[in-house]
Amino acid sequence: MSSNDNERNDQVLSDDHLPASPEGKSQVAVADDPFADPGLPHHEPRRQDIDERAAKRSERTISLLFTLAMLSTVGFIAVYSTVSVEKIVYIFPFGHVSATNFGLGLTLALALFATGAGAVHWARTLMSDLEVADERHAVEAAPEVRQKVFDDWKQGVAESQWTRRKMVRNTMLGALTLVPLTGVVLLRDLGPLPYSRLRHTAWEEGSLIINEATMQPLRPEDIVVGSLTQAMPEGLDPHAEDFHAEIAKAAVMLVRLEPEDIKDARSAEWGHEGILCYSKICTHIGCPATLYEQQTHHALCPCHQSTFDLADGARVLFGPAGHPLPQLRISVNDEGYLQALGDFEEPPGPSFWERG
């Protein structure tokens, strides 16, 4: 048989099973109702649909999950209210972690997981799982469509067993009521907290000024003209849990200028023999403003280039900083060591909204 004969036979076979059109050409038949058989599998009832004891077990499981969500929310509030932010605990395998962060994360995760798991278990075991195929409708809310929506809503309520499974309903309402309180409790930080903690530092009258590099108290002769020395108050232990929180407010820098170069009279009075002590925490976002220009007496913050004139009360010359660096009043004690005459008169570091 020739190749032409094979092609003719294939054409005949491929066209024999198709209906002929009026023009004599073959075409594919189209069903009158494309939704007659959407291809859904035969519905198989779940065990909870035919066994009330199984349904009761599912109800108790769902209620237990919602109850766990409520207890976790109460635990979140308790951790937030009672556990100190400075407390460090050892938890295997994470090591030493913040007790507050770990407690808040654990309780919030449990609350959200239990709420979601309860809702999913409810939908999969107790709510109706019948699949219904329906045609797409126009967007217009015709009266019959509105009535159908209301009917579907009523049917959904009935199929969800909302009125029948009172334990599930009540525990879910409790969980949905309490879990959002995790966010409400966090709003307490909007004010008036943190009260006056940001206004006070570890400096007090008589505190010796300790060199951060040598951890030894400073004498006036240790600071030469044109130099900058970073220091902190005595009594701070670098190994203590609260060290970083305290040094973030109390860190200072000392510069020594020629007395005639000091432009601000109050700065000269608060210093000692040309030695001035300023907070080294930038008043923008808290970076250390310790890049010192000896000739101009300017201190530069490396983060956003805020520049302070240390010879003129540390006023802001350039950059986003909102106010000068606070100055610490200093003197010399009977043993010849530099000491503070009290705390800063204004809060050091970045501005905060309740500062006024």
Side-chain angles (χ1 to χ4, degrees):
M1 183 180 294
S2 66
S3 59
N4 292 335
D5 293 338
N6 289 333
E7 292 178 359
R8 283 194 298 271
N9 290 339
D10 292 341
Q11 184 67 33
V12 170
L13 292 175
S14 63
D15 291 345
D16 284 346
H17 68 288
L18 298 178
S21 66
E23 293 81 8
K25 297 181 179 180
S26 299
Q27 63 180 8
V28 178
V30 178
D32 294 335
D33 184 3
F35 297 99
D37 182 10
L40 295 178
H42 178 68
H43 176 71
E44 295 290 342
R46 300 163 303 186
R47 184 168 184 175
Q48 289 83 358
D49 298 331
I50 57 179
D51 187 350
E52 181 61 21
R53 289 181 299 177
K56 285 291 186 180
R57 285 195 297 270
S58 295
E59 182 179 9
R60 289 192 294 270
T61 301
I62 298 167
S63 300
L64 178 62
L65 288 169
F66 288 147
T67 303
L68 176 61
M70 291 187 285
L71 295 176
S72 299
T73 302
V74 174
F76 179 95
I77 298 173
V79 170
Y80 188 84
S81 303
T82 61
V83 179
S84 172
V85 296
E86 299 174 353
K87 184 176 181 59
I88 304 296
V89 296
Y90 178 82
I91 299 178
F92 179 82
F94 304 106
H96 291 88
V97 297
S98 168
T100 301
N101 291 347
F102 187 84
L104 293 179
L106 179 62
T107 52
L108 181 58
L110 283 175
L112 296 177
F113 171 79
T115 302
V120 170
H121 195 56
W122 185 2
R124 292 181 63 86
T125 60
L126 294 182
M127 293 185 183
S128 173
D129 66 338
L130 290 174
E131 297 183 2
V132 179
D134 199 358
E135 297 184 25
R136 294 181 180 270
H137 300 284
V139 178
E140 295 83 359
E144 58 271 16
V145 174
R146 290 173 56 86
Q147 184 59 45
K148 186 177 186 304
V149 170
F150 292 140
D151 293 341
D152 290 345
W153 167 259
K154 294 177 181 178
Q155 181 181 354
V157 172
E159 292 178 348
S160 68
Q161 303 190 31
W162 174 264
T163 56
R164 181 181 178 186
R165 307 295 178 179
K166 296 182 180 180
M167 184 185 300
V168 170
R169 179 190 64 196
N170 295 338
T171 52
M172 187 201 70
L173 290 176
L176 294 180
T177 301
L178 289 180
V179 170
L181 291 180
T182 57
V184 175
V185 171
L186 295 177
L187 296 178
R188 61 178 288 191
D189 274 351
L190 294 180
L193 296 178
Y195 301 113
S196 61
R197 286 182 295 178
L198 296 178
R199 299 179 181 273
H200 304 290
T201 71
W203 291 105
E204 58 185 16
E205 185 176 359
S207 296
L208 293 179
I209 302 176
I210 305 299
N211 189 319
E212 280 192 4
T214 64
M215 299 301 291
Q216 298 297 319
L218 288 165
R219 296 178 181 271
E221 55 267 26
D222 296 331
I223 303 174
V224 299
V225 175
S227 67
L228 181 143
T229 303
Q230 301 185 48
M232 65 180 187
E234 66 173 332
L236 291 186
D237 181 5
H239 302 289
E241 291 183 359
D242 62 344
F243 174 75
H244 294 290
E246 292 299 328
I247 197 64
K249 299 181 294 181
V252 296
M253 56 184 174
L254 293 93
V255 294
R256 189 163 196 168
L257 311 178
E258 295 292 354
E260 59 271 17
D261 291 337
I262 302 177
K263 306 172 186 178
D264 186 79
R266 193 187 78 159
S267 290
E269 180 184 351
W270 282 21
H272 175 78
E273 298 179 354
I275 301 175
L276 307 178
C277 183
Y278 291 103
S279 168
K280 77 174 186 181
I281 309 302
C282 181
T283 55
H284 177 215
I285 60 171
C287 296
T290 52
L291 298 181
Y292 183 55
E293 296 177 348
Q294 185 184 65
Q295 300 300 319
T296 61
H297 314 306
H298 294 170
L300 176 70
C301 176
C303 292
H304 301 93
Q305 288 71 55
S306 293
T307 306
F308 306 89
D309 187 354
L310 302 186
D312 193 12
R315 67 183 180 91
V316 181
L317 298 176
F318 176 80
H323 52 276
L325 298 173
Q327 185 175 356
L328 190 69
R329 295 181 63 186
I330 62 173
S331 66
V332 175
N333 64 12
D334 296 337
E335 298 179 356
Y337 292 108
L338 290 169
Q339 65 175 2
L341 295 179
D343 201 354
F344 293 105
E345 289 196 352
E346 58 188 66
S351 300
F352 49 95
W353 74 282
E354 59 182 11
R355 183 169 186 158

